[in-house]
Amino acid sequence: MSHRRRRHALRIEPLEPRRPTASMSPLPIARQETALVRSNDSARARVDRDIIYTAAGGSARALDVYRPAADGSTEPRPVLLALHGGGWRRFSKEGFGGAVAAEFVPRGQIVVAPNYQLSGPRRPSWPRVLDDLHAALRWIDENAEVFGFDRDRVAAIGESAGGHLAALLGTEPRSTSPDAPRIRVDAVIDLQGPADLFTLDEESRAGRAALRQLLGGPPRLLPEAARAASPALRVDRETAPMLMIHGTGDTIVPISQSRRLARALADAGVFHQTIEVPRAPHGFRFRWGDRDFAGVVAAFLEKVRGRPALG
């Protein structure tokens, strides 16, 4: 089967910029741009770029918000928190965020795509990366009225390392800490994400260096951190419903990772769905051959939420 990915050409046309208000974010906005995004010249959306959502640790993090163009509706819309991949050490919000927006903004979703702490040589990013995602959820909560977010329908979607981070948000234990985000994700879409860092270190030569850089060393030498960073080892009855899409030809994150997560979800009685795509490699996102998985994702979200997004 040939690997054919349909690319979405996103064309951005500036609109009249709107003045940022304090209620949008308690932090300064580095650069805000309101624009139209067209996907295949059919769907229109507004995008607000580079909104600072946290400056914890003295380092600012920004996110982009993609919304359906004004259609007169005042109903809050469901949110997809789009988490990019790159081995926890590369890439940024624009590529994956734009791809998710091209698929799901036309389906009535709002896409929030944050940057997060990346790891570097002798600079592990765990657990700071998870702290950043907590801050992103707090920002969504604080700015729900400004952007039209539905606080009760916030799902996490990610590919590769981003799928791992999405699954971590889905397995978060309830916390009474005042610093914990009040919003919990109501669903997870995990595209080829690691689930058990102990076994990934053993099974994936291609992924080993990246996960050791994330943690600061081999999982066996950092068992507490590796366990805390392994979604399959955090599953309980309160875990969010999950959809996993993974190719059997993946040599970077073996499909055994999603199978382990599925077993843990089944053992805990958590609703989940696993789609194994024969021969598909790592990173195919929403399409492989003639199969289109964006519709599968939309149907899964509608099923676990009990109602569709506004079109």
Side-chain angles (χ1 to χ4, degrees), residues 111-195:
V111 175
V112 176
N115 278 334
Y116 52 79
Q117 175 68 55
L118 300 178
S119 66
R122 297 177 296 281
R123 194 179 74 247
S125 59
W126 179 262
R128 174 64 187 278
V129 59
L130 189 58
D131 294 339
D132 283 352
L133 301 186
H134 291 164
L137 289 175
R138 285 193 292 271
W139 184 90
I140 290 170
D141 181 33
E142 293 164 1
N143 292 275
E145 282 74 23
V146 174
F147 287 93
F149 304 142
D150 186 337
R151 292 184 176 93
D152 295 325
R153 293 189 289 172
V154 178
I157 182 170
E159 65 172 350
S160 191
H164 162 260
L165 297 174
L168 282 175
L169 289 179
T171 56
E172 287 278 69
R174 292 192 180 275
S175 174
T176 57
S177 168
D179 296 328
R182 291 186 298 177
I183 289 177
R184 287 165 57 90
V185 299
D186 69 335
V188 169
I189 310 300
D190 177 358
L191 308 176
Q192 311 119 38

Side-chain angles (χ1 to χ4, degrees), residues 197-231:
L197 299 191
F198 291 99
T199 58
L200 183 67
D201 191 62
E202 298 169 355
E203 297 172 351
S204 174
R205 180 174 297 180
R208 188 174 299 147
L211 80 88
R212 291 184 179 188
Q213 187 166 283
L214 166 73
L215 295 176
R220 62 184 176 79
L221 299 181
L222 299 164
E224 291 186 11
R227 176 170 288 275
S230 294

Side-chain angles (χ1 to χ4, degrees), residues 11 32 55 83 213 226 249 264 294:
R11 192 169 66 205
Q32 186 165 35
L83 306 176
Q213 187 166 283

Side-chain angles (χ1 to χ4, degrees), residues 15 35-39 43-47 66-70 101 105-106:
L15 289 177
L36 284 177
V37 176
R38 283 199 177 106
S39 170
R44 295 158 61 87
R46 296 169 59 178
V47 53
Y66 300 82
R67 292 177 286 163
V105 169

Side-chain angles (χ1 to χ4, degrees), residues 70-77 144-145 147-150 310:
D71 58 3
S73 174
T74 58
E75 289 293 318
R77 294 181 182 272
E145 282 74 23
F147 287 93
F149 304 142
D150 186 337
L310 298 173

